Amino acid sequence: MNKEELWQALLAQIQFNISPANFATWFKNTKISKKKGKEIVISVPNNFSKEWLENKYNKFILKTIKSLDKDVKLIKYEVSKSAPSIKINHSNDKKEKDQLKFEKFKTNKETNLNPRYTFENFVVGSFNELSHAAAQSICKKPGFNYNPFFIYGGVGLGKTHLIQAIGNEIKNRYPRKKIKYLSSEKFTSDVVNSIKNKSISKLKSEYKSYSLLIIDDIQFIAGKEKTQEEFFHIFNALYAENKQIVISSDRPPNAISSLEERLISRFEGGMITDISIPDIETRLAILRVKLQEKRADVGPNILEYIASNIKNNIRELEGALNQVIIYQKLNNCFIDEEKVKILLKKMVSPPYKKINSKKIIKIVSDFYGLKEGDLLCSSRKKEVVGPRQMAMYLLRKELKGSFPFIGRKFGGRDHTTAIYAVNKISKQIEEREDIKEELESIKKSIYKT
Ligand code: ADP
Ligand code: MG
C-alpha cells in the first residue's frame, strides 16, 4: 500500500467509528505527507487539528494504521500550508444534508436510545427471525408476552440494534412509558457511585420507575456481586409489576461464569433466543439496506464480493461497505473488483473462506485417529469425548457458531453440552500445555488445507 492508499484505508475505518461531524472537523484536509520506515508523518491544516489528533485520536490512528501496515510504529503530526492531495468535499449543501441526517440520530437523553436502530432497517433472515418475532411481540404488549426477554449471540450480529429497536418502537407506541437503555457496565458504575454517595435507595427507586428496562451486554456483570444483588432486587420489583425487562448477552445465561444462580434462573424464566450468522442472501439484503441509508451506489458485483467474503459479523460487513463507499468518494469513481480485493484484503483472509463445520470435524477426527462418525455418535468413551469437545470448541471459536448450532451439528445434542465442552477446553488450554499444542496443530491443518 502506498501512502495515499494507506491514508484512504485509514479514513474509511475512522469514518466508521466516529460521528460524521467529528470526521469532517478533524480529518478534513489531512494526508500522510511522509512515510519512512517505521515512521509516518501526517500533515494537518492547522495547530488546532494537530493538537486534537495528537491528544485524542493518536492511539486510535496508530492502532488502525498498524492493522493495515504492521511496520508502522510511530506517528507524527505536522501543520502544513500546502493543499492536501486528498480532498474531502464537505463544503456543499450535500454535506449539510448529511449532517442533518445524522443529527436525527442523536442518542435520546432521557431513554439513552439511538433512533437509528429501528425495526424498519433491521433485516430478518433465518438467523435472527425468532429473536425478531419475539421482539415484535414484546412491543405489542410490553411486560406481558415474554418477560424477561433474553437475547444472545456473537459480536456484531445485531443484538444492540434489535433491543434498541424494541425501545424505540415502544416509545413510539406508548410515548408516556418511561424507558431506559443502558449497558451493564453503565449499570455497574451507577451502582458503585451510588454506594459511594450513599444514594443507593434513590438509584433503586429511579430504576424501579421504568416501564421498560433494557440492559445490553449483561455478561459484564459477571463476578460483580454487589451489582448483581442490586440488579436482582430491581429485576424482581419490575417483574412483579409486569414491567418489561430486555437483556442482551454474548452467551446464554448459564454460560456466564460467576453469575448468581438466582439471576440465571430469573433469566431462564422468560424468553431466550439467539442470533446466529446470516446466510449470503441476508448479507446481501443487509448491504442493500445500508447502501440506501447511506445514499450511496456500489456495483452489484462489488456487493456480491463483500457479502460472499465477510460472513461472521454484520458490523464488519458494514465496515467493508463503508470502506468501499469512501474509496469511491475520494477517487470519484466506481470501484472495480480488483481494487475491492486490495482494499478489503485485511478483512478477507482467504484461508478462512473455505472452513466449515464438516471440515473441522473431519480434521479433528483425523488428528485423533477416529472416524468422523465417532464424534457425532453418542459414545461416552474417553477417547471420543475429549476430541468431540475439541471439535465443539473449534466450531465455537473458529466459526463463531451459536451453542444450539454446535449442538445440532453433533447429532442433535443440547446446547448445554456445547457450552460445557467449550468451557472445558478453554480451561484445559490454560492449564495443560499438551492440549494447547494439540489445538495449535489442529488449527494449522484446518487453515492449511
Ligand atoms: P451486537 O450488539 O450484536 O454486537 P450490533 O447490534 O451493534 O451488534 O450490530 C452491528 C451493526 O450491524 C450495526 O450497525 C447494526 O445496525 C447492523 N446490523 C446488525 N444486524 C442487522 C440486521 N439484521 N439488519 C440490518 N443491520 C444490522
Ligand atoms: Mg452490542
Side-chain angles (χ1 to χ4, degrees):
M1 244 192 254
N2 65 28
K3 54 187 201 216
E4 280 78 26
E5 284 168 341
L6 183 60
W7 194 237
Q8 278 169 17
L10 175 104
L11 289 178
Q13 299 212 8
I14 301 233
Q15 193 186 33
F16 186 56
N17 281 289
I18 68 177
S19 77
N22 275 344
F23 182 73
T25 312
W26 306 117
F27 291 93
K28 187 162 75 176
N29 296 344
T30 58
K31 65 170 184 178
I32 295 180
S33 56
K34 273 182 227 119
K35 180 167 183 276
K36 224 173 72 194
K38 293 176 182 165
E39 190 180 306
I40 276 187
V41 181
I42 295 172
S43 86
V44 299
N46 52 47
N47 261 320
F48 195 38
S49 296
K50 178 168 180 277
E51 267 177 36
W52 197 264
L53 291 185
E54 271 172 353
N55 296 331
K56 228 177 126 96
Y57 289 107
N58 183 51
K59 231 174 156 178
F60 186 39
I61 294 175
L62 184 61
K63 194 176 135 214
T64 313
I65 288 204
K66 271 188 174 163
S67 75
L68 298 160
D69 181 341
K70 62 179 177 347
D71 297 335
V72 179
K73 297 275 183 305
L74 182 73
I75 296 185
K76 288 187 177 160
Y77 300 85
E78 67 175 21
V79 179
S80 115
K81 297 276 176 296
S82 65
S85 63
I86 298 170
K87 274 215 180 83
I88 305 172
N89 191 0
H90 283 288
S91 57
N92 53 21
D93 283 349
K94 197 166 169 300
K95 172 212 167 188
E96 311 293 339
K97 274 194 211 126
D98 278 352
Q99 289 210 352
L100 280 179
K101 217 173 80 202
F102 272 88
E103 293 284 89
K104 240 177 43 197
F105 292 146
K106 268 201 185 136
T107 303
N108 181 298
K109 285 220 176 69
E110 185 199 317
T111 62
N112 201 28
L113 288 164
N114 187 321
R116 99 177 179 89
Y117 296 117
T118 63
F119 281 112
E120 284 77 50
N121 61 8
F122 189 79
V123 178
V124 184
S126 57
F127 74 111
N128 64 6
E129 63 184 341
L130 190 57
S131 299
H132 174 260
Q136 290 220 308
S137 135
I138 282 166
C139 296
K140 292 201 183 105
K141 226 171 163 220
F144 288 90
N145 280 340
Y146 301 116
N147 204 16
F149 176 39
F150 189 104
I151 171 172
Y152 72 92
V155 281
L157 292 175
K159 301 181 297 295
T160 297
H161 189 135
L162 190 58
I163 61 179
Q164 290 217 29
I166 296 177
N168 284 319
E169 176 71 20
I170 293 183
K171 191 77 204 164
N172 278 340
R173 289 192 192 203
Y174 312 91
R176 295 189 24 216
K177 275 195 193 299
K178 241 182 126 179
I179 297 175
K180 190 62 140 194
Y181 163 86
L182 76 169
S183 66
S184 75
E185 289 140 302
K186 173 76 172 64
F187 180 76
T188 304
S189 79
D190 279 2
V191 170
V192 171
N193 286 333
S194 58
I195 290 174
K196 242 195 327 214
N197 305 332
K198 303 201 167 49
S199 56
I200 191 84
S201 56
K202 195 171 143 230
L203 182 86
K204 272 199 219 163
S205 59
E206 170 70 20
Y207 273 92
K208 286 176 189 169
S209 73
Y210 299 131
S211 299
L212 166 62
L213 178 62
I214 307 172
I215 302 224
D216 208 349
D217 290 319
I218 195 82
Q219 72 273 9
F220 294 124
I221 70 167
K224 305 201 170 90
E225 282 165 30
K226 191 67 193 152
T227 305
Q228 290 188 28
E229 191 186 325
E230 296 309 338
F231 183 67
F232 182 72
H233 294 305
I234 291 166
F235 182 101
N236 286 342
L238 294 177
Y239 184 81
E241 290 186 47
N242 285 317
K243 289 168 160 182
Q244 181 71 46
I245 301 148
V246 174
I247 293 160
S248 88
S249 163
D250 68 347
R251 65 202 87 170
N254 57 2
I256 306 177
S257 58
S258 41
L259 182 65
E260 280 184 32
E261 224 15 83
R262 55 182 185 170
L263 271 178
I264 296 180
S265 80
R266 284 293 183 282
F267 295 161
E268 288 180 338
M271 175 74 165
I272 302 183
T273 64
D274 75 315
I275 295 192
S276 55
I277 294 167
D279 57 28
I280 174 125
E281 283 77 26
T282 319
R283 297 200 294 274
L284 265 173
I286 291 173
L287 286 173
R288 294 209 184 90
V289 167
K290 301 288 172 193
L291 211 50
Q292 267 185 358
E293 272 177 19
K294 296 171 206 294
R295 288 167 222 251
D297 207 2
V298 170
N301 53 333
I302 304 298
L303 289 187
E304 193 99 21
Y305 179 83
I306 301 174
S308 43
N309 286 287
I310 297 178
K311 298 176 176 172
N312 297 331
N313 183 324
I314 299 174
R315 187 176 298 131
E316 277 178 12
L317 197 66
E318 200 176 341
L321 183 66
N322 278 337
Q323 294 209 31
V324 166
I325 293 173
I326 194 163
Y327 177 95
Q328 294 191 156
K329 262 194 200 157
L330 293 171
N331 292 284
N332 207 11
C333 69
F334 283 108
I335 198 166
D336 59 31
E337 268 181 71
E338 228 168 275
K339 282 266 159 50
V340 87
K341 277 184 194 155
I342 300 168
L343 188 68
L344 303 181
K345 205 168 74 206
K346 290 282 163 187
M347 302 180 89
V348 179
S349 7
Y352 286 79
K353 281 200 295 198
K354 287 180 250 127
I355 68 162
N356 52 36
S357 57
K358 201 163 179 313
K359 180 165 173 187
I360 291 180
I361 293 169
K362 164 108 183 51
I363 286 174
V364 173
S365 31
D366 285 352
F367 182 88
Y368 291 105
L370 300 166
K371 289 195 235 55
E372 273 171 67
D374 292 337
L375 295 189
L376 308 182
C377 75
S378 60
S379 163
R380 288 165 191 264
K381 274 195 231 142
K382 211 174 96 208
E383 309 83 78
V384 176
V385 171
R388 186 186 292 133
Q389 289 172 336
M390 177 62 90
M392 288 183 163
Y393 174 88
L394 286 160
L395 254 58
R396 178 72 182 169
K397 299 291 169 185
E398 304 306 311
L399 290 186
K400 312 275 180 269
S402 76
F403 292 114
F405 165 84
I406 298 170
R408 281 196 295 278
K409 288 288 164 194
F410 288 82
R413 287 180 158 75
D414 192 67
H415 72 279
T416 49
T417 313
I419 292 166
Y420 178 81
V422 171
N423 287 344
K424 173 121 188 247
I425 299 288
S426 307
K427 203 155 157 249
Q428 284 184 338
I429 297 164
E430 275 171 23
E431 289 165 359
R432 286 178 48 183
E433 206 51 40
D434 57 331
I435 300 279
K436 200 170 143 193
E437 273 165 23
E438 284 177 12
L439 174 71
E440 288 312 317
S441 339
I442 295 171
K443 269 178 32 185
K444 261 192 209 130
S445 34
I446 289 176
Y447 290 115
K448 196 177 66 203
T449 45

